[in-house]
């Protein structure tokens, strides 16, 4: 290839000398209109990433005897941001003196978000989910984070065919993925294996059957462990069972359900010698450690100009201690993955939950922690940015 060489000569000097007057002239000739108050790019970015949203519960119904569906609308504006099917939101509320939040996978589709509707389904398990399942009522207001998370289809990374495996309330992200596929917003083909103990514990069966009827790229197989039912497989979601329905060799797997299901399926999948990128599982919240006599410590929390000294138990995460004390500490995934709770460690030893240390090397080196997966081993002091 030939390049034209230009020597730095008299003409260049002349151009350089004229640069400032030329610019002044161009500025003087420019229109007098004031700069826009907001640029379209910023408006769009704010729409897609609002940070926190004010929402109201507009409808609630039980899907099974333990799973309750909750529908929300935004009250700070008229639509939810468009999101990737499979993502989650974190819902924050005050229960007694505690300021608590939990992440829940979104059931509804991205299109519904634009019609100001976002649906979650919550199982009656634990302090916050139990409250949402039993006590929350239509008209109640909450703070919700923007949709987040990496549990979604990625064209460049994933195979065209995806095999989704749901256990119990783990059906939620797949409802959004199946709905989005039927809406024509996704490009994959999907085989969903949905396991439950009995047919009565299958949430959304009618809705899934309706989606299958209108989308030829979607297949759903119901698998019941405790009873025989027409139209359902009996047993567990094993590789042998999955092979009856689909080719597993050229697929990407998405798993969502209880830990026991992950342990079982991941063992089953070893026979397929899949690359690591071919299996995704939804992150579960970091739970309390089981200890007979957990120690009680003092946690000193610096938050902007305030300093709080609060109790912290050895078997609970620092985030749980802060929530119990009513402190507004930032968090989203509660699984050590998103980095949203990123805080500065000041003193005191701690342990990080097994296989949950999602910190970058630099964070570890310079003393940053994720309170959502960190347990105190003695009195501790940390610096936490307030959530909002
Ligand atoms: S809340 Fe996501 S890493 Fe702590």
């Amino acid at each position: 290839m030939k390049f034209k060489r230009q020597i730095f000569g008299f003409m260049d000097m002349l151009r350089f000398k004229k640069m400032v007057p030329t610019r002044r002239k161009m500025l003087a000739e420019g229109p007098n209109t004031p700069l826009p108050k907001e640029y379209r790019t910023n408006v769009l970015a704010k729409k897609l990433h609002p940070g926190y949203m004010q929402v109201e519960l507009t409808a609630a119904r039980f899907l099974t005897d333990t799973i309750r569906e909750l529908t929300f609308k935004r009250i700070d504006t008229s639509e939810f941001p468009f999101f990737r099917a499979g993502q989650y939101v974190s819902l924050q509320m005050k229960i007694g003196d505690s300021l608590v939040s939990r992440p829940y996978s979104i059931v509804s589709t991205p299109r519904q978000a634009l019609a100001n509707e976002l649906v979650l389904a919550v199982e009656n398990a634990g302090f916050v989910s139990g409250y949402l399942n039993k006590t929350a009522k239509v008209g109640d207001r909450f703070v919700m984070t923007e949709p987040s998370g990496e549990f979604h289809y990625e064209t460049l990374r994933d195979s065209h065919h995806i095999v989704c495996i749901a256990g119990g309330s783990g059906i939620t992200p797949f409802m959004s993925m199946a709905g989005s596929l039927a809406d024509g917003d996704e490009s994959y083909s999907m085989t969903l294996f949905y396991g439950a103990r009995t047919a009565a514990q299958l949430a959304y069966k009618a809705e899934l059957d309706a989606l299958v009827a209108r989308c030829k790229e979607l297949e759903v197989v119901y698998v019941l462990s405790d009873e025989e039912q027409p139209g359902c497989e009996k047993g567990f979601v094993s590789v042998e069972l999955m092979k009856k329905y689909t080719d597993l060799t050229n697929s990407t797997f998405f798993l969502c359900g209880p830990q026991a299901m992950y342990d079982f399926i991941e063992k089953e999948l070893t026979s397929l010698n899949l690359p690591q990128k071919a299996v995704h599982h939804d992150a579960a919240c970091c739970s309390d450690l089981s200890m007979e006599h957990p120690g009680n410590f003092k946690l000193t929390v610096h938050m902007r100009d305030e300093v709080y000294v609060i109790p912290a138990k050895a078997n609970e995460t620092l985030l749980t201690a802060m929530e119990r004390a009513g402190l507004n500490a930032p968090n989203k995934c509660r699984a050590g993955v998103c980095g949203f709770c990123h805080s500065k460690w000041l003193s005191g030893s701690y342990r990080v939950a097994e296989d949950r240390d999602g910190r970058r090397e630099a964070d570890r080196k310079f003393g940053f922690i994720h309170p959502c997966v960190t347990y105190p081993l003695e009195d501790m002091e940390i610096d936490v940015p307030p959530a909002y």
Side-chain angles (χ1 to χ4, degrees):
M1 192 182 283
K2 280 197 169 176
F3 293 97
K4 192 179 164 197
R5 272 197 218 159
Q6 203 172 352
I7 46 167
F8 184 74
F10 176 72
M11 289 306 287
D12 293 319
M13 287 292 288
L14 210 61
R15 267 188 227 115
F16 185 71
K17 262 191 90 178
K18 280 187 179 168
M19 200 161 70
V20 173
T22 309
R23 279 191 182 166
R24 283 210 179 108
K25 188 168 167 259
M26 285 171 79
L27 285 171
E29 284 171 3
N32 237 353
T33 45
L35 290 172
K37 283 209 173 66
E38 266 190 312
Y39 290 92
R40 276 193 310 177
T41 318
N42 293 347
V43 173
L44 180 64
K46 212 168 158 192
K47 214 169 168 184
L48 289 173
H49 303 288
Y52 292 92
M53 306 178 286
Q54 305 292 326
V55 301
E56 185 177 299
L57 183 60
T58 56
R61 63 170 177 142
F62 276 96
L63 303 167
T64 68
D65 55 355
T66 57
I67 302 176
R68 189 186 190 203
E69 181 190 81
L70 306 170
T71 304
F72 297 89
K73 72 171 182 189
R74 249 183 112 169
I75 49 172
D76 53 344
T77 185
S78 57
E79 61 182 18
F80 285 94
F82 200 77
F83 61 91
R84 304 294 308 268
Q87 289 190 305
Y88 69 88
V89 288
S90 181
L91 203 58
Q92 188 190 60
M93 68 218 79
K94 201 155 177 28
I95 306 178
D97 291 334
S98 304
L99 188 60
V100 288
S101 53
R102 290 291 181 275
Y104 296 103
S105 295
I106 304 169
V107 170
S108 46
T109 62
R111 282 198 194 198
Q112 281 171 270
L114 301 182
N116 202 9
E117 184 177 88
L118 192 133
V119 181
L120 307 176
V122 179
E123 188 160 27
N124 184 17
F127 179 53
V128 179
S129 296
Y131 173 85
L132 289 170
N133 188 285
K134 290 272 176 256
T135 313
K137 55 187 188 314
V138 170
D140 283 356
R141 293 184 169 184
F142 302 85
V143 173
M144 188 184 269
T145 64
E146 65 188 30
S148 312
E150 304 305 317
F151 190 74
H152 57 76
Y153 182 73
E154 198 57 72
T155 325
L156 289 176
R157 178 196 60 192
D158 300 326
S159 304
H160 170 71
H161 179 242
I162 60 172
V163 175
C164 301
I165 305 170
S169 60
I171 189 62
T172 48
F174 301 128
M175 287 305 297
S176 184
M177 290 167 78
S180 193
L181 176 63
D183 283 348
D185 291 335
E186 296 286 1
S187 57
Y188 44 76
S189 68
M190 176 174 176
T191 306
L192 169 62
F193 295 91
Y194 181 10
R197 291 219 309 277
T198 64
Q201 286 165 330
L202 289 171
Y204 291 120
K205 183 169 185 306
E207 289 83 351
L208 281 168
D209 290 342
L211 286 173
V212 170
R214 75 178 169 99
C215 178
K216 62 178 184 355
E217 296 292 336
L218 173 66
E219 183 182 21
V220 180
V221 181
Y222 303 103
V223 185
L224 305 177
S225 60
D226 291 9
E227 69 178 16
E228 305 243 9
Q229 281 287 342
C232 301
E233 288 281 355
K234 168 96 179 19
F236 294 99
V237 184
S238 62
V239 162
E240 195 188 338
L241 185 142
M242 288 190 279
K243 276 183 178 166
K244 269 174 62 180
Y245 290 89
T246 187
D247 172 22
L248 301 180
T249 52
N250 206 5
S251 303
T252 298
F253 292 78
F254 287 82
L255 279 51
C256 187
Q259 188 58 44
M261 185 195 94
Y262 290 155
D263 295 343
F264 176 78
I265 304 281
E266 278 167 7
K267 212 161 148 197
E268 282 284 304
L269 293 180
T270 49
S271 64
L272 300 176
N273 288 322
L274 298 165
Q276 205 182 351
K277 67 164 192 164
V279 185
H280 311 298
H281 61 262
D282 208 7
C285 294
C286 190
S287 52
D288 293 351
L289 298 175
S290 119
M291 281 183 184
E292 274 210 4
H293 303 292
N296 291 302
F297 305 118
K298 206 170 66 184
L299 176 64
T300 306
V301 182
H302 297 254
M303 212 177 242
R304 281 212 182 110
D305 298 331
E306 305 289 337
V307 180
Y308 306 90
V309 181
I310 61 171
K313 287 185 187 164
N315 65 332
E316 289 180 349
T317 65
L318 301 179
L319 178 60
T320 303
M322 289 189 280
E323 287 189 328
R324 184 177 296 110
L327 302 188
N328 194 8
N331 69 93
K332 275 188 186 174
C333 71
R334 306 178 75 91
V337 181
C338 72
F340 203 64
C341 62
H342 182 260
S343 300
K344 182 86 176 84
W345 167 86
L346 298 174
S347 71
S349 55
Y350 60 87
R351 84 172 79 172
V352 178
E354 215 182 321
D355 296 330
R356 300 276 196 164
D357 197 347
R359 289 175 297 172
R360 293 172 303 175
E361 195 51 49
D363 283 346
R364 256 179 251 155
K365 189 171 162 193
F366 293 107
F368 284 91
I369 55 168
H370 290 166
C372 69
V373 291
T374 303
Y375 302 88
L377 291 173
E378 59 179 344
D379 290 351
M380 285 187 70
E381 190 167 358
I382 57 177
D383 191 337
V384 182
Y388 50 85

